[in-house]
Amino acid sequence: MIKEITSITNPTIKFANQLKNKKDILENNLFFVETEKVIYDLVSSGAKLFKLFIEESKLEKHAELIKKFENNTFKITNQVASKLSETVTNAGIFALFELPNNSKFGFNEKFLIIDNLRHKLLDKLPTNDYFYQYRK
């Protein structure tokens, strides 16, 4: 059964907002996602979904996903979605996922995390730049 959250002061919402910084992510072994495509990609790749938050107006659109994770799904208000979101206009869907097991994704290994990278930025990189050539 889908649970409902209507208050921005709800402990679950406060907890989700904490998972936007590295310290809390590592302490709780969870990370926050607010992009529809990334959420679906993570689910299809087998990532373990911990909690799913969907704005009331988006419930029908994501009915299949809700059915799969009904016990971990929360219906949220527009106000709660705005509190969770770091963007002006949000997709109305947010999730908490478990960090992958260290055997698959070790923090001792070198890796690159790209956050808030815009497509226009990539187009401005010089053509001889290694990253630009590598992305082609």
Side-chain angles (χ1 to χ4, degrees):
M1 182 168 159
I2 297 175
K3 298 164 232 48
E4 185 173 7
I5 298 176
T6 57
S7 171
I8 61 172
T9 60
N10 180 289
T12 304
I13 299 305
K14 287 182 176 183
F15 177 70
N17 272 322
Q18 286 179 326
L19 295 172
K20 295 177 184 177
N21 68 65
K22 183 179 177 180
K23 179 184 173 241
D24 289 315
I25 290 169
L26 295 176
E27 280 180 11
N28 294 287
N29 256 358
L30 298 168
F31 64 98
F32 178 83
V33 179
E34 73 169 288
T35 307
E36 181 178 339
K37 182 182 180 341
V38 175
I39 290 170
Y40 277 89
D41 286 349
L42 285 167
V43 167
S44 67
S45 71
K48 293 181 182 175
L49 186 132
F50 183 69
K51 293 194 186 302
L52 180 64
F53 305 94
I54 301 181
E55 192 176 330
E56 201 167 6
S57 63
K58 308 290 184 186
L59 291 173
E60 190 174 313
K61 178 179 181 181
H62 302 292
E64 202 171 306
L65 186 64
I66 292 168
K67 187 185 242 184
K68 188 173 182 180
F69 298 103
E70 188 173 357
N71 292 333
N72 298 338
T73 300
F74 295 85
K75 176 173 71 169
I76 59 173
T77 63
N78 189 336
Q79 184 183 18
V80 173
S82 295
K83 178 72 175 174
L84 285 173
S85 181
E86 293 186 340
T87 62
V88 176
T89 55
N90 63 67
I93 183 169
F94 311 88
L96 300 179
F97 284 91
E98 292 181 20
L99 279 177
N101 186 333
N102 282 345
S103 64
K104 294 180 184 176
F105 184 75
F107 284 103
N108 295 329
E109 300 172 22
K110 291 182 180 178
F111 59 93
L112 174 66
I113 296 176
I114 300 175
D115 188 23
N116 293 324
L117 185 66
R118 302 287 193 271
H119 180 33
K120 290 180 181 180
L121 173 66
L122 290 175
D123 291 338
K124 291 181 182 179
L125 291 173
T127 55
N128 62 351
D129 187 285
Y130 175 77
F131 182 75
Y132 180 81
Q133 291 175 5
Y134 194 78
R135 79 172 177 96
K136 283 186 175 182

